[in-house]
Amino acid sequence: MPRPTILTLLAMLGVGGALALALPETQAAPSIAMLAPDEAEAALARATRESRLAEGRAARLTREAEAATEAAARTASEAAALAARIQQAEADIEVARAQLTIARLARATLTARLAKKQEPTARLAAALQTAARRPLALAALQPGSLKDVVHVRAVLDSAVPQIRARTTALRSELDRGRALEAQAARALDQMRSGESALRQRRTELATLENQQRLASRNARGAALREGERALALAEEARDLDGLVDKLGEVAALRQELAALPGPVLRPADLATALPAAPAPAPSASIPPPRDFQLPVQGRTLTGFGAKRASGIASTGLSLAPAKGAQVVAPARGRIAFAGAYRGFGRIIIIEHDGGWTSLVTGLAQVEVAVGDLVIGGSPMGRASGGTDPVTIELRREGVPVNPLQYMR
């Protein structure tokens, strides 16, 4: 068989071109930390849900800020809305990271599969190209060469369909590889866009918080006195549970004093009996904090009641947020403690109405002070991240309860 015929046939089939093609190098920066392969799908679903919820909270808080008539309430809602937008940007970054991880994993799997498919096709193409290089005159002079040509022609008749099918499949796989690379590039662009939005919103929140500090400068003296009392209680408490209990007792006393009736005027008839004090409302009738939410976004490490490594049941939830993630108030309340405490890092304790208390640990930065009034979603600081989880506990008169049953 003449040499041009075989070479032309190989060119028509595109064997050489298909074998020379390779998946393009990824455009993703190698410094980006990828997720573990077995966590990518779950992280994508969780981050997508968190982004949607944060967007809804931001919209609701923005409406509340626009409807507020008092400056303090409007500023508090604006700050909480900005914190929700920050959490939305954090979730969007996690979505992009999960998508990039999934695309890279699919691309690696496709590369390995292509390597297996290309090997036999490459060997067959090389053999045909070797046969095509034999000069026709040499084939006529050698004994048996014409018979070999006939055999080669017979082999080609059976091999060409296989080559064509395999080449088509290879090209289809290569197209799939390019699509995966484009998907990874889009995920990377989305991550960079999310990081840019996150920096902008953090700057806006810092500006708003600075305005709040200037507005509350007159109340700073009272806040310092309350902070000193909280630190004194922290020194007296044996452990974190003891601190929460002591702060709960102080909060209960404060609520009892606030509920006392005002001074009674001297009656004209001193023989008249004083009016009976109203009976206290039963504690069971007091509902839990309204619209309770988790203080930070992240994967759940330990659930309520789960056994820890020490064998003691967990009294709260432990979450694994990103380093520097936004931490917000889980519900409306008053800051009873904010600062470092005995090996727990920086913690925040919030008093809610009706004897409810929430505890948040694992903060790298605290941006509230004792005595501050917060609403659900108010920014409170940043998470340490890394190996330090954020823990949230909810207690009713000192008894731990599962916070998830009070979430919307």
Side-chain angles (χ1 to χ4, degrees):
M1 185 175 179
R3 179 175 56 179
T5 304
I6 296 179
L7 293 179
T8 303
L9 180 59
L10 293 174
M12 291 175 59
L13 292 173
V15 175
L19 296 173
L21 291 174
L23 289 178
E25 290 298 323
T26 178
Q27 302 176 22
S31 60
I32 295 177
M34 294 292 100
L35 300 174
D38 56 343
E39 297 177 359
E41 292 288 351
L44 177 59
R46 174 182 53 78
T48 301
R49 181 177 66 255
E50 289 175 345
S51 176
R52 184 175 62 253
L53 293 175
E55 184 179 12
R57 288 197 303 271
R60 174 177 57 82
L61 290 165
T62 300
R63 291 193 298 269
E64 292 179 1
E66 293 173 350
T69 56
E70 297 182 0
R74 182 171 58 254
T75 304
S77 295
E78 289 174 351
L82 272 175
R85 294 293 184 191
I86 289 174
Q87 289 189 323
Q88 180 187 356
E90 292 171 348
D92 289 341
I93 292 173
E94 193 68 8
V95 168
R97 194 187 308 277
Q99 290 175 339
L100 184 57
T101 300
I102 292 171
R104 280 189 171 182
L105 291 173
R107 184 176 179 274
T109 302
L110 179 59
T111 300
R113 188 165 66 246
L114 280 176
K116 292 182 179 180
K117 287 185 176 182
Q118 284 181 336
E119 184 177 353
T121 307
R123 288 200 302 266
L124 180 57
L128 292 175
Q129 289 175 347
T130 300
R133 293 192 184 98
R134 295 185 62 189
L136 185 59
L138 182 59
L141 293 175
Q142 291 182 350
S145 295
L146 294 178
K147 185 183 296 184
D148 291 341
V149 171
V150 175
H151 290 166
V152 169
R153 180 59 182 267
V155 170
L156 282 176
D157 289 341
S158 61
V160 165
Q162 295 293 328
I163 297 174
R164 181 181 291 113
R166 291 183 181 183
T167 303
T168 303
L170 285 174
R171 289 188 174 278
S172 176
E173 295 281 19
L174 290 169
D175 291 340
R176 170 63 178 160
R178 294 189 182 93
L180 288 172
E181 177 62 23
Q183 177 183 346
R186 288 194 299 270
L188 183 61
D189 290 341
Q190 180 182 349
M191 186 182 302
R192 290 170 176 164
S193 176
E195 290 172 347
S196 176
L198 182 59
R199 287 192 295 269
Q200 178 182 353
R201 288 165 182 171
R202 281 178 173 170
T203 301
E204 294 174 358
L205 180 58
T207 302
L208 184 58
E209 288 177 335
N210 186 51
Q211 294 174 357
Q212 288 179 316
R213 293 189 188 96
L214 292 176
S216 62
R217 181 175 294 175
N218 295 333
R220 186 170 298 174
L224 288 176
R225 289 192 295 272
E226 291 199 32
E228 291 172 355
R229 285 196 293 269
L231 289 175
L233 289 175
E235 292 296 328
E236 296 175 5
R238 297 187 304 274
D239 51 24
L240 187 56
D241 289 338
L243 175 59
V244 175
D245 292 340
K246 283 184 174 293
L247 291 172
E249 293 172 2
V250 173
L253 178 59
R254 186 186 301 109
Q255 292 178 4
E256 290 177 6
L257 292 175
L260 290 177
V264 180
L265 297 177
R266 180 178 179 179
D269 185 1
L270 296 179
T272 304
L274 292 175
S283 58
S285 63
I286 300 177
R290 187 170 60 89
D291 295 340
F292 192 85
Q293 67 182 78
L294 294 179
V296 73
Q297 298 177 147
R299 178 171 54 92
T300 301
L301 297 176
T302 307
F304 180 82
K307 294 293 184 181
R308 299 175 180 170
S310 60
I312 302 175
S314 172
T315 55
L317 300 175
S318 293
L319 307 172
K323 184 177 181 180
Q326 180 69 54
V327 179
V328 300
R332 182 182 297 274
R334 176 184 175 277
I335 303 297
F337 186 88
Y341 183 76
R342 297 187 185 180
F344 289 90
R346 292 173 175 81
I347 70 171
I348 296 176
I349 299 176
I350 309 174
E351 300 171 355
H352 309 287
D353 292 338
W356 293 84
T357 305
S358 59
L359 165 68
V360 182
T361 69
L363 287 88
Q365 179 180 343
V366 174
E367 299 169 352
V368 291
V370 174
D372 287 353
L373 299 178
V374 295
I375 63 174
S378 291
M380 298 197 306
R382 302 278 188 87
S384 299
T387 59
D388 296 328
V390 169
T391 300
I392 170 67
E393 294 186 10
L394 179 63
R395 305 190 182 197
R396 173 69 173 99
E397 295 182 347
V399 179
V401 297
N402 189 351
L404 293 180
Q405 63 181 326
Y406 300 109
M407 293 179 61
R408 289 195 304 170

